[in-house]
Amino acid sequence: MYCRKCGAKLSDTAKFCDSCGEAVVVVKQRSDAQKYAQRNEEQKAKKEKAERKKRKREKKLDDLKNPYVIPAIGTAILAFGLGIFPWPSSWGVGTSLWMRILIFVIALLSDYHCTKSRQVNRLYNIQYRYQVKPKVVTTATVLAGVTTVVALFALVTM
């Protein structure tokens, strides 16, 4: 090893040059193969970090649930089923006022749940670019809307 300032020969453990007093700076030299190996390791580390981030995001998306989807479709089917069920005339239930009101209230409840499920899906779409069962929500919305209109018509035309 030699001094960078005066060129005097130095021992391997020297901290300062014996001739000029300059501080010894040890520079590690790397071959091109070592540089490329380090660069490849850095690229692999970046890829692994990106993969971990992607897996974490996918796990987060798997955990997302829309709590309004099941009540929306359930109440829509219930209201629609009560509205089209062929009640026996001996029961006197199908044309009664309280039954029409019940069907209308359940249809309104279904409309509420459909609206909330669409709002939650819109929020998930904004935050994560992901929606929870959008076709089921659309089906429930159409079914609830039709049932509400028919139930309201049945109430008004009594």
Side-chain angles (χ1 to χ4, degrees):
M1 186 163 69
Y2 296 93
C3 177
R4 294 173 69 146
K5 186 173 181 184
C6 66
K9 185 161 177 82
L10 302 172
S11 67
D12 290 337
T13 58
K15 302 276 185 200
F16 296 96
C17 177
D18 294 334
S19 301
C20 65
E22 181 72 20
V24 175
V25 178
V26 179
V27 178
K28 286 189 172 183
Q29 293 182 347
R30 297 183 303 170
S31 68
D32 287 338
Q34 290 172 331
K35 290 178 187 177
Y36 291 131
Q38 182 180 2
R39 189 178 302 147
N40 286 340
E41 288 174 10
E42 289 172 357
Q43 288 176 350
K44 284 181 183 177
K46 282 183 181 179
K47 285 181 182 178
E48 288 175 4
K49 185 177 178 182
E51 282 294 320
R52 281 194 305 269
K53 189 175 179 181
K54 183 179 177 183
R55 282 194 302 268
K56 185 177 179 182
R57 184 178 187 283
E58 287 174 355
K59 185 182 182 313
K60 194 175 201 177
L61 290 179
D62 288 343
D63 293 342
L64 285 179
K65 296 192 176 21
N66 190 336
Y68 294 101
V69 171
I70 292 174
I73 194 71
T75 53
I77 290 172
L78 178 65
F80 188 75
L82 287 175
I84 66 165
F85 185 76
W87 299 97
S89 58
S90 61
W91 290 2
V93 173
T95 58
S96 64
L97 177 64
W98 67 268
M99 188 60 161
R100 290 178 185 182
I101 292 172
L102 177 68
I103 293 169
F104 182 66
V105 168
I106 294 173
L108 287 178
L109 182 64
S110 180
D111 283 335
Y112 167 77
H113 286 298
C114 288
T115 302
K116 293 304 279 183
S117 65
R118 281 185 282 142
Q119 287 174 348
V120 170
N121 269 353
R122 214 172 290 126
L123 176 69
Y124 287 166
N125 193 20
I126 291 170
Q127 287 182 345
Y128 308 109
R129 302 274 185 245
Y130 180 74
Q131 291 186 354
V132 180
K133 300 181 181 177
K135 291 182 180 177
V136 173
V137 172
T138 304
T139 304
T141 303
V142 169
L143 190 61
V146 167
T147 307
T148 303
V149 169
V150 169
L152 184 61
F153 181 73
L155 276 176
V156 172
T157 60
M158 276 186 76

